[in-house]
Amino acid sequence: MNDVPLVITVDGPAGSGKSTVAKALANRLGLSYLDTGALYRAIAWHLNNHGISAVEGETLTNALEALSITLGKQGVCVGGHNVTSLIRSPEVDGVVSCYAALPSVRRKLLDLQRRQAILPGIVADGRDMGTVVFPCASCKFFLIATPEIRTQRRVKEIRERGETVSYQEVLEGIRERDRIDSERAEAPLRKPENSLEIDTSGMSIEEVVSRMYEIVANVVSL
Ligand code: DC
């Protein structure tokens, strides 16, 4: 029996399908799913709600030091509050990239993310999973899709929650997040070395998951 957790990373821009396929792949492999975007969203929600702006400095350092953040089966908790249902709002969408670009925010989350890699293993989705957090992962994927397809997926997801949103507004938000996530100095969104890129634009969820499953099965001989 293997006593080292299997780590599979799934990176890519917003709306590339990462979370849906990472969750499904984890299920199929009997592994846990790690949603690192939820951690960045929870911190962004908390700081934004406390009027702490996205700039490095003493105020931010003190706020982060005092902040407890946990991730479990029930979702993500900050300062003892379960914020899972609050972190997918357009408001958080609009500010999260600015907080996620801050080195002190990323430092705060690094160990927490690594500690989630427990037996039998995890499928971790984010922007720097294969590059920074789990550089020695057994299998690395990089998912992409056109901005228009990613926008359509995001609009569908928001409308299914009963919220109203315009296509143009979401497209602009996605372009802006792509820009901030890729241009930041600390752990920018990049295709990890030795990762397999999959363009999910014309593919169904099942097709993407099956393709990934076959690749993992080959690499780790399931
Ligand atoms: O995957 P998501 O849309 O829930 O991510 C929300 C934001 O958090 C996104 O703008 C980029 C940031 N993020 C990050 O910088 N690093 C990660 N590992 C995960 C998310």
Side-chain angles (χ1 to χ4, degrees), residues 5-19:
L6 174 63
V7 176
I8 296 165
T9 60
V10 186
D11 289 301
S16 54
K18 294 184 310 292
S19 56

Side-chain angles (χ1 to χ4, degrees), residues 88-106:
R88 312 265 160 208
S89 66
E91 197 184 352
V92 175
D93 278 354
V95 297
V96 61
S97 284
C98 296
Y99 288 105
L102 301 170
S104 58
V105 168
R106 306 200 73 83

Side-chain angles (χ1 to χ4, degrees), residues 39-40 43-44 47 52-67 69 98-113 184-187:
L39 295 172
Y40 284 95
I43 286 207
L47 296 172
I52 296 163
S53 8
V55 280
E56 292 289 359
E58 205 179 326
T59 313
L60 180 71
T61 306
N62 293 341
L64 289 174
E65 244 171 53
L67 187 64
I69 174 154
C98 296
Y99 288 105
L102 301 170
S104 58
V105 168
R106 306 200 73 83
R107 264 198 308 277
K108 171 92 184 171
L109 293 178
L110 190 58
D111 279 351
L112 175 61
Q113 294 172 87
R184 69 185 176 215
E186 189 87 6

Side-chain angles (χ1 to χ4, degrees), residues 14 18 35-38 40-41 88 96-97 100 106 113 125-129 177 181 184:
K18 294 184 310 292
D35 174 6
T36 61
Y40 284 95
R41 287 172 174 275
R88 312 265 160 208
V96 61
S97 284
R106 306 200 73 83
Q113 294 172 87
D125 107 49
R127 304 293 189 287
D128 59 344
M129 295 298 97
R177 277 212 280 157
D181 293 343
R184 69 185 176 215

Side-chain angles (χ1 to χ4, degrees), residues 7-205:
V7 176
I8 296 165
T9 60
V10 186
D11 289 301
S16 54
K18 294 184 310 292
S19 56
T20 312
V21 298
K23 218 177 287 173
L25 182 67
N27 267 336
R28 198 153 158 189
L29 291 164
L31 306 179
S32 310
Y33 163 60
L34 173 62
D35 174 6
T36 61
L39 295 172
Y40 284 95
R41 287 172 174 275
I43 286 207
W45 177 88
H46 176 89
L47 296 172
N48 193 41
N49 263 20
H50 285 76
I52 296 163
S53 8
V55 280
E56 292 289 359
E58 205 179 326
T59 313
L60 180 71
T61 306
N62 293 341
L64 289 174
E65 244 171 53
L67 187 64
S68 75
I69 174 154
T70 57
L71 190 65
K73 285 210 163 54
Q74 314 306 323
V76 58
C77 294
V78 272
H81 298 289
N82 191 323
V83 295
T84 314
S85 62
L86 307 172
I87 58 175
R88 312 265 160 208
S89 66
E91 197 184 352
V92 175
D93 278 354
V95 297
V96 61
S97 284
C98 296
Y99 288 105
L102 301 170
S104 58
V105 168
R106 306 200 73 83
R107 264 198 308 277
K108 171 92 184 171
L109 293 178
L110 190 58
D111 279 351
L112 175 61
Q113 294 172 87
R114 288 184 174 154
R115 282 201 305 275
Q116 310 304 311
I118 52 168
L119 286 168
I122 57 166
V123 180
D125 107 49
R127 304 293 189 287
D128 59 344
M129 295 298 97
T131 50
V132 175
V133 182
F134 301 111
C136 299
S138 305
C139 226
K140 300 182 186 184
F141 294 98
F142 190 69
L143 302 192
I144 56 163
T146 64
E148 290 72 21
I149 295 276
R150 293 190 280 129
T151 302
Q152 282 166 21
R153 290 176 181 160
R154 201 74 184 107
V155 166
K156 184 164 175 276
E157 192 185 303
I158 295 170
R159 291 190 180 150
E160 276 171 4
R161 288 204 305 260
E163 294 161 26
T164 48
V165 76
S166 80
Y167 175 89
Q168 201 53 33
E169 190 187 331
V170 175
L171 179 62
E172 279 160 25
I174 280 197
R175 287 205 168 121
E176 181 61 2
R177 277 212 280 157
D178 282 357
R179 190 188 64 73
I180 301 174
D181 293 343
S182 329
E183 291 179 4
R184 69 185 176 215
E186 189 87 6
L189 171 66
R190 292 264 183 284
K191 180 182 181 303
E193 260 177 51
N194 308 321
S195 64
L196 187 102
E197 183 172 293
I198 302 179
D199 184 344
T200 67
S201 301
M203 294 173 81
S204 70
I205 294 162

